[in-house]
Amino acid sequence: MDSTLKVLSLNVNGMASNTKRYKIMELAKKMKADILCLQETHRAKVNNKPLLSPQHWGLKIESKATNKARGVAILCNRNLRLEILNWKKDNDGRYVFLKVKIMQKIFTIPNIYCPNKGQKKFIRKTLDRLQSYSEGETIVTGDFNWSLKTDHSFKLSKWG
């Protein structure tokens, strides 16, 4: 790995299709992604099949919900040399936080999938959890279900 950490974040809107999984793998390969953050994986809690090829993706942290909604995952490329320091996830398929050491530097990588309604409350609560968890560089990924056409300004304690 060169000195650039490449993180790819995608809302996949379900992963039941072999074609879709193949296209995700091809895109990640083309982008040379070190870390892949997926939202809306739509995987039931009882589904233990690999998300993507285990030959290419080693570490997988996943918060599942149902096979029709939600679900987030963080996958790390097998070639990425990292030390897992910690991880945290909810039980509702909404977020996963991963803390790793890469090239002697600590990174916190949250992958967040916000609900369609009540985003402000959800984001405040989730970012408060993240603030107490976070260490080192933080790379926030996810789908915030947030319209860019309307002013949704609000202040979040120390996050600004």
Side-chain angles (χ1 to χ4, degrees), residues 90-160:
D90 73 340
N91 291 318
D92 202 28
R94 292 289 181 190
Y95 70 81
V96 175
F97 300 161
L98 175 63
K99 197 181 302 181
V100 294
K101 187 184 277 189
I102 303 169
M103 298 178 292
Q104 302 305 315
K105 197 171 191 178
I106 296 175
F107 291 91
T108 300
I109 304 166
N111 185 16
I112 302 167
Y113 177 60
C114 288
N116 292 324
K117 295 180 180 173
Q119 293 97 331
K120 278 188 183 184
K121 182 178 178 183
F122 177 83
I123 289 172
R124 275 195 177 102
K125 191 184 228 183
T126 304
L127 289 182
D128 282 346
R129 287 182 182 130
L130 177 60
Q131 186 175 1
S132 64
Y133 176 84
S134 152
E135 183 180 348
E137 302 280 337
T138 301
I139 303 169
V140 179
T141 67
D143 178 348
F144 298 95
N145 276 314
W146 204 267
S147 168
L148 296 177
K149 295 179 181 178
T150 307
D151 180 16
H152 292 288
S153 302
F154 63 97
K155 188 153 175 91
L156 294 169
S157 61
K158 295 177 186 172
W159 287 83

Side-chain angles (χ1 to χ4, degrees), residues 4 64 102:
T4 304
K64 300 176 187 178
I102 303 169

Side-chain angles (χ1 to χ4, degrees), residues 45-109:
K45 293 183 183 194
V46 295
N47 185 342
N48 292 318
K49 293 180 185 175
L51 265 170
L52 296 173
S53 168
Q55 290 83 14
H56 190 73
W57 300 99
L59 172 67
K60 175 197 81 172
I61 311 275
E62 184 175 16
S63 175
K64 300 176 187 178
T66 71
N67 62 348
K68 302 282 186 198
R70 298 184 305 277
V72 291
I74 299 176
L75 294 92
C76 296
N77 189 309
R78 281 200 179 278
N79 296 325
L80 179 64
R81 291 189 178 135
L82 60 83
E83 176 187 345
I84 302 162
L85 302 177
N86 198 330
W87 55 269
K88 178 180 184 172
K89 64 181 183 174
D90 73 340
N91 291 318
D92 202 28
R94 292 289 181 190
Y95 70 81
V96 175
F97 300 161
L98 175 63
K99 197 181 302 181
V100 294
K101 187 184 277 189
I102 303 169
M103 298 178 292
Q104 302 305 315
K105 197 171 191 178
I106 296 175
F107 291 91
T108 300
I109 304 166

